């Protein structure tokens, strides 16, 4: 029996584990994949407080080391579901066994929606990015493409157009779906070119990302774009369906919660990218982890 089980070993989950252990609670972190979550795709992080520059993998290693040194346990297990027993104890079911806890923090994160093309995963972090705030500085005075036409894509494009020599926006529909005000800003910038009705058909390059081939969604006509980088902004995919019995999800599948990180179920908390929020950064994920863990501690101390 653990005081706190944390689902996910990204920055939110590991921070929750750190705060839980510092409150002298027994903590188990369950992670099915790699430590660090989405930040491991970033070879160079320059906006995390305390580090002028650090790789996502290195930051993940430091968080894991800190959690382990404080006495947290980490187990590589895939969580299949959570239920709350009549006695108030949570049963976290995994592929190999079940774990029991008096409280749970869901910090399962979300994953970037990919285009599904060959070489895409090969160039993530080395030509293909998802965050202009994180990686835009690497492309100053260079040529990039933003894939997507919603608000997130338009905001990314605006940020990139401040420093890039050229920014292409590739939208599969015949129109941008983001706010018209954002679209107007982009149309007013001489270094931005909006290409609607095209999809990315091929990623160019062998050891180095060189650009893309785009295809007209209607007639199949193809066009080559030579690029230094590509930002994919077609949404994220949370994996929260297995928690639906205990939490409320919005129309996009995110757990509904505010900055207090509370859920519909007493003793169950949510932190990081898997919850509804407006800003998804490493620093805000860590803030969620601290908030959720402290809320769990207050619940346990009642």
């Amino acid at each position: 029996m653990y005081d706190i089980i944390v689902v996910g070993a990204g920055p939110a989950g590991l921070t929750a584990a750190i705060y839980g252990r510092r409150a002298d609670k027994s903590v188990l972190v369950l992670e099915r994949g790699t430590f660090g979550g989405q930040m491991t795709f970033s070879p160079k992080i320059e906006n995390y407080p305390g580090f002028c520059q650090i790789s996502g993998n290195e930051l993940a290693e430091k968080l894991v080391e800190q959690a382990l040194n404080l006495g947290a346990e980490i187990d590589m297990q895939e969580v299949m579901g959570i239920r709350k027993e009549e006695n108030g104890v949570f049963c976290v079911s995994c592929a190999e066994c079940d774990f029991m806890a008096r409280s749970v923090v869901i910090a399962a994160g979300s994953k970037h929606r990919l285009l599904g093309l060959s070489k895409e995963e090969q160039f993530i972090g080395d030509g293909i990015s998802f965050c202009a705030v994180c990686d835009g500085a690497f492309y100053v005075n260079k040529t990039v493409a933003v894939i997507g036409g919603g608000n997130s894509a338009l905001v990314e494009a605006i940020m990139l157009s401040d420093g890039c020599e050229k920014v292409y926006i590739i939208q599969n529909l015949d129109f941008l779906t983001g706010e018209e005000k954002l679209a107007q800003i982009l149309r007013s910038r001489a270094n931005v070119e909006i290409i609607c009705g095209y999809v990315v058909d091929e990623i160019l390059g062998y050891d180095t990302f060189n650009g893309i081939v785009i295809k007209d969604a209607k007639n199949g006509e193809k066009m080559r774009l030579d690029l230094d980088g590509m930002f994919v902004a077609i949404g994220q995919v949370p994996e929260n369906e297995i928690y639906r019995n205990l939490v409320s999800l919005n129309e996009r599948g995110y757990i509904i919660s505010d900055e207090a990180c509370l859920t519909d179920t007493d003793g169950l908390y949510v932190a990081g990218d898997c919850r509804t929020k407006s800003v998804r950064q490493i620093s805000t994920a860590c803030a969620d982890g601290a908030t959720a863990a402290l809320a769990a501690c207050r619940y346990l101390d009642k």
Side-chain angles (χ1 to χ4, degrees), residues 202-249:
E202 182 183 355
I203 294 172
L204 302 174
Y206 294 95
D207 296 327
T208 303
F209 176 86
N210 292 328
I212 57 177
V213 173
I214 60 175
K215 180 175 69 174
D216 190 303
K218 293 180 179 177
N219 61 29
E221 178 184 344
K222 295 184 179 182
M223 182 191 318
R224 175 185 173 122
L225 297 179
D226 294 318
L227 305 170
D228 298 296
M230 178 173 72
F231 288 76
V232 180
I234 56 175
Q236 292 189 328
V237 183
E239 298 177 288
N240 292 326
E241 282 296 323
I242 60 174
Y243 312 120
R244 187 181 282 277
N245 61 314
L246 294 174
V247 302
S248 296
L249 307 181

Side-chain angles (χ1 to χ4, degrees), residues 126-129 135-142 144 163-164 228-229 231:
D126 189 19
I128 296 179
S129 301
D135 301 330
F138 305 135
Y139 297 97
V140 172
N141 298 323
K142 295 183 178 181
V144 302
C164 293
D228 298 296
F231 288 76

Side-chain angles (χ1 to χ4, degrees), residues 49-76:
F51 297 95
C52 293
Q53 179 179 302
I54 189 171
S55 73
N57 283 324
E58 186 180 0
L59 182 55
E61 290 173 1
K62 289 181 178 294
L63 287 170
V64 170
E65 181 182 8
Q66 186 175 4
L68 290 174
N69 285 343
L70 286 168
E73 297 180 36
I74 297 178
D75 199 338
M76 300 299 291

